[in-house]
Amino acid sequence: MATTDQEVNELIKREYEHGFVTDIESDTFEPGLNEDVIARLSGIKKEPEWMLEWRLKAYRRWLEMDEPDWAHVGYPKIDYNSISYYSAPKRKEDMPQSLDEVDPELLKTYEKLGIPLHEREKLAGVAVDAVFDSVSVATTFKEPLAKAGVIFCSISEAIQDYPELVKKYLGSVVPAGDNFFAGLNSAVFSDGTFVYVPKGVRCPMELSTYFRINAANTGQFERTLIIAEDSSYVSYLEGCTAPMRDENQLHAAVVELVALDDAQIKYSTVQNWYPGDEEGKGGIFNFVTKRGAAIGKNSKISWTQVETGSAVTWKYPSCILRGENSVGEFYSVALTNNYQQADTGTKMIHLGKNTSSTIISKGISAGKSSNAYRGLVKFGPGAEGARNFTQCDSLLIGDRCGAHTFPYIESKNKSAIVEHEATTSKVSDEQMFLCRQRGIDPEQAVSMIVNGFCKEVFKELPMEFAVEAGKLLEVSLEGSVG
Amino acid sequence: MLSIKNLHASVEGKEILKGINLEIKAGEVHAIMGPNGSGKSTLSQVLAGNEAFEVTEGEITLNGENLLELETEERAREGIFLAFQYPVEIPGVSNLQFLRTAVNAMRQHKGQDEMNAAEFMKLAKEISKQVDLDPAFLKRGVNEGFSGGEKKRNEIMQALLLQPKLAILDETDSGLDIDALKVVSDGVNALRAEDRAILMVTHYQRLLNHIVPDYVHVLAGGKIIKSGGRELALELEERGYGWLGIKDEETADSSVN
C-alpha cells in the first residue's frame, strides 16, 4: 500500500555522518593535468626515473583513450583539467617517523571516523594504513608484521624500498591501457597500499586501509597492490569516507591482487564515500578498477564489497582464474538511495582447468536511485571442467527506484557449467506490518529486513566489520524511499 | 478494556465494516464467528492498525485511550497483539533477532532495560518449549520454511513473550491438525489472565472446545448480528450460519436479515 511507502519515505532523513572537513594546511596542486604535473608529482615523491617513465607512458596512452559510456549511469562530463591531482597535509619534515609526529588534527580526524591510529587505542588485531587525500599519513602495526615477514606500507614507500617487487607486479594485472580510468590512475596515482606476504606465511592480523578525501576539487587516485606468495594467506579491508561538498569529486582507484600457488587473498571493501544530498547534488564519482589474478594452482581470490556511498559507482572487482583449480568469489551488497547510481558487478575469467567461481550479488534500491548488476562469466578454451554459480537478488524499497541485471556469459569450452539465479523482491507491506505490530519502529524494521536480505554477504566479512556494515546500511537507508 | 463504537472501515473504497459495537473487559475471552467475507479478519486488522484499511466512522478505545490516533507500533506497545492468520516470512532475519528486537521495543517503551542476547535466549528457550517448538527454530529465519502449524505456534509464542493486554487471534485454528490445535490452545489458555483480554476470530467452533469463550458474537455483512454465550457457538455448529439467515459464502456487500 502507498501508506507504507510514505512511512518508509519519512524514515530516513539522517545525515551523512562522515561529512565533516578537517581544517588542515595542505599543499595542493593547481588544477590541471599535463606531463609537467606528472613530473612534479613524481618529483615530490622522489620517485626513481623508471616510475616517472611508467607514468608518462600511461598518460600518453590515456590521452588516446575514450571515457566509457556503456554503463547504466548518467553524469555530467568531467573536465579533467579542473581537478587537482595532488593534495597532501603540510608537514615539517619528510615522513613522520612515528605516530607521535603525525599532525594531531589528522589523528583527530581518524578518531572521529572511528579509526584510532594510536597504538594504545588501536583497533584490536587490525593493522591500518591511513590515506588522507593523496598521501598515506600513518601505518600501524608495522613491526609485528615485519617480524612475520609481511610488508605492509604505502605504495610510495614500496617504490623506494622494494622497487623490484613493484616493477614486477605493478600493472601486471591491470595494465595502464586496460581502460580509461585505470589509465588515468596509472599516470597520476599518488599513494595507496602495498602488501607482500611471503611464502608459507599466514598474515597474523587483518590489514586495512582507510581512505579519506578531505580537500576540495581534488581527485583521489590510489593504487593498491597485494602479492601473496605460495601458500600464504592475507585478509585485507578498505574503508572510505569523504566530506559533504556540493561539487562532485572523482575517485579513480586501481587495485591489483596477485595470488600464487595455494595462496589466498580475501579483499573486503566497505565503501561509504559521500553519496550527494537528497536532491542528488554533490557526491563522489567512484570509478574503480579492481582485479585479482589467481595465477597459481589452487589459489583463491575472494572479493566482498559493501557499497553504500558515492553518487555514481562504476566498479567490477574481477578474478582472472589462470591457475588450475583456482577459485574466485564475489560477494556484493550495493545499496543506492536518493539519486545515487550504481553499475557494479564482477568479471570471472576462467582460463585454467577446473577453475570455479561464485557470485552472490545483493542490490538494494531505494529513493529515486538506480542500481545495476553487470557481470561477465567467461570460459576460455582451456577451462576444462570449470564452473560458475551466480545469484543476483534485487530488493526494491518504494516504487521510484530501478534495479537492472546485465549478466553476460561467454564460453569457449563445452565442459564448463554455469548456473544463474536471479530474484527481485520488495520490502513488503506485510513484512512491515508484522514488524510494527510487534512494536518495532518502521525504520528499524526496514533496516532489519534489509540486513536479513544481505546476510549471505555479511557473513563473508571479517567479524569486526560485519557489525559496522550492518550499521552503515541502517544509516544509508535513512529516508530511503521516495 | 476495549471499547468499539459504531466502527466503519473500508478497503480500497469498499466498505467492509458497517457499524461494529463491542465491549470487552479485562479477563474476558470473546469469540467472533462468521462466514467467509463477513469482515472478521478486517476487524482484527483494523484493531491492530493496518493502514491498508481506512476507518471512516466510529471509535476504538483501549482503557480509555483513543487507538485510532496511534500508529501500529504504538498500539502494539500499548498492549495490542495480533496473531496473524498467515504470518509472513522475513528471509535472513533470525527468529531470535526478530523476537528480541520486539521484546526490547516493548521494554524500552515501559522504561525497562533492554535484555541482552544471553538473557533473552534463556527466556525464549523456555517459552518455545511451552508451545512445543524446538529451540532450533529460534535460529531460523522468521517463518522461513515453517509449516503452517509451526507458524501458528510461533505466533502464540510471540504472544507469550510479549504479554499483551489484548491478544487478537485471527483464525489461529486454521490449517492445524488436532495435536497442533491442542498445543496452540494450551498456549492461548496460558495467556488467560485477570488483566488480559482475548479476542478470537474463527470460522469454526472447534477451537472453542479447547479455548472456552465467555462471549460469542456472530459477524455478518460487516455487523454483529447476534451475541451470546458459549452455547451460541454450539448452536451455530449444529444449525449452520443459514440458521441466522446468512449464507456461508456471502460477501460483505449483500444485506443481512
Side-chain angles (χ1 to χ4, degrees), chain A residues 1 3-4 7 428 430-431 433-442 444 448-449 452-453 455, chain B residues 45 50-52 71 73 76-77 80-82 84 89 91-93 98 101-102 105-106 155 158:
Chain A
M1 288 308 126
T3 42
T4 306
E7 276 153 24
S428 74
E430 288 77 15
Q431 288 171 331
F433 184 53
L434 170 62
C435 293
R436 295 178 59 194
Q437 211 300 304
R438 298 301 184 251
I440 300 168
D441 270 328
Q444 209 179 353
M448 190 165 70
I449 294 165
F453 174 74
K455 197 176 171 188
Chain B
Q45 298 281 321
N50 188 338
E51 286 154 4
E71 298 286 346
E73 61 275 15
R77 292 174 202 151
I80 299 265
F81 179 91
L82 172 62
F84 287 84
E89 297 185 1
V93 177
F98 173 72
T101 307
M106 301 289 187
E155 292 293 291
Q158 291 172 39

